[in-house]
Amino acid sequence: MATLLHDAVMNPAEVVKQRMQMYNSPYKSVLDCIRTVHRTEGFGAFYRSYTTQLTMNVPFQAIHFIVYEITQEKINPRREYNPRSHILSGAIAGAVAAAATTPLDVCKTLLNTQENMALSSLNISGHLSGMVNAFRTVYQLGGIPAYFRGVQARVIYQMPSTAIAWSVYEFFKYFITKHKLEKRTPY
């Protein structure tokens, strides 16, 4: 449920961010981007990649949690508070999840940006919609390797992010648990 709600709120923000980041972006500000996209493509343009976003984030989170737990079992089998193991496990989990879901991220980015040069090179007019069409288009643009464009940047971005998230989570779990135990233990 958290992923469904998160993506419903964040998908429009992602569309605006990616369109603003495009080379030669025609938008002068965030507000200009929102207004122009809404006026020229309609409200649906902000959710064109929603199913792809969900299709990416659900497996990302599943892989992320599973790899974190497996890594913790290997390097911290007693599950003690160990910042180094949490950072390392978090980074590894983020890297694996990011790499595994990069093809979905590439398709989502194409749906969000509607990158004109890419679409026109394949004689696609109008707007690209739907995950199946995005997968087909990415393949036509560059075959299998096209699905992994930017994989290194995505992995490098996710590793510190997930390492920090897990280490902060584990710190507060330890702090709260320790604090509760201290309250129960009479001196």
Side-chain angles (χ1 to χ4, degrees):
M1 279 309 287
T3 299
L4 289 172
L5 196 57
H6 170 270
D7 289 354
V9 172
M10 293 308 296
N11 209 84
E14 184 80 2
V15 170
V16 172
K17 176 187 74 95
Q18 289 179 342
R19 287 182 183 223
M20 296 285 299
Q21 290 176 333
M22 285 177 18
Y23 179 71
N24 285 335
S25 175
Y27 310 107
K28 296 178 183 7
S29 69
V30 169
L31 203 53
D32 176 48
C33 182
I34 293 168
R35 287 179 178 151
T36 303
V37 170
H38 185 264
R39 184 178 67 252
T40 60
E41 299 177 47
F43 182 74
F46 295 106
Y47 287 94
R48 198 174 278 133
S49 67
Y50 182 64
T51 54
T52 305
Q53 180 89 9
L54 286 175
T55 304
M56 178 183 70
N57 282 344
V58 170
F60 178 94
Q61 293 302 335
I63 293 166
H64 177 210
F65 277 87
I66 291 166
V67 171
Y68 180 80
E69 291 298 322
I70 290 169
T71 308
Q72 278 294 289
E73 280 296 318
K74 298 287 185 211
I75 65 175
N76 188 8
R78 288 200 247 166
R79 297 304 182 112
E80 298 170 333
Y81 176 65
N82 180 334
R84 284 186 188 165
S85 79
H86 305 313
I87 289 168
L88 182 61
S89 296
I92 291 169
V96 172
T101 58
T102 294
L104 294 162
D105 193 47
V106 169
C107 293
K108 177 197 65 145
T109 300
L110 181 61
L111 288 170
N112 281 345
T113 62
Q114 298 291 309
E115 216 285 300
N116 287 330
M117 287 185 60
L119 297 178
S120 63
S121 73
L122 297 175
N123 295 320
I124 296 173
S125 59
H127 300 293
L128 184 67
S129 64
M131 190 167 52
V132 172
N133 287 331
F135 266 95
R136 187 178 305 122
T137 302
V138 169
Y139 185 79
Q140 290 171 335
L141 287 167
I144 300 294
Y147 292 113
F148 294 93
R149 292 193 75 181
V151 68
Q152 290 132 337
R154 188 164 151 72
V155 166
I156 289 167
Y157 172 83
Q158 285 297 330
M159 286 179 73
S161 174
T162 52
I164 291 166
W166 278 110
S167 62
V168 169
Y169 167 77
E170 293 288 359
F171 169 76
F172 280 104
K173 185 171 86 172
Y174 168 76
F175 180 77
I176 291 167
T177 304
K178 183 179 179 225
H179 187 68
K180 283 183 179 178
L181 287 175
E182 286 174 357
K183 281 185 169 183
R184 290 183 192 160
T185 308
Y187 292 101

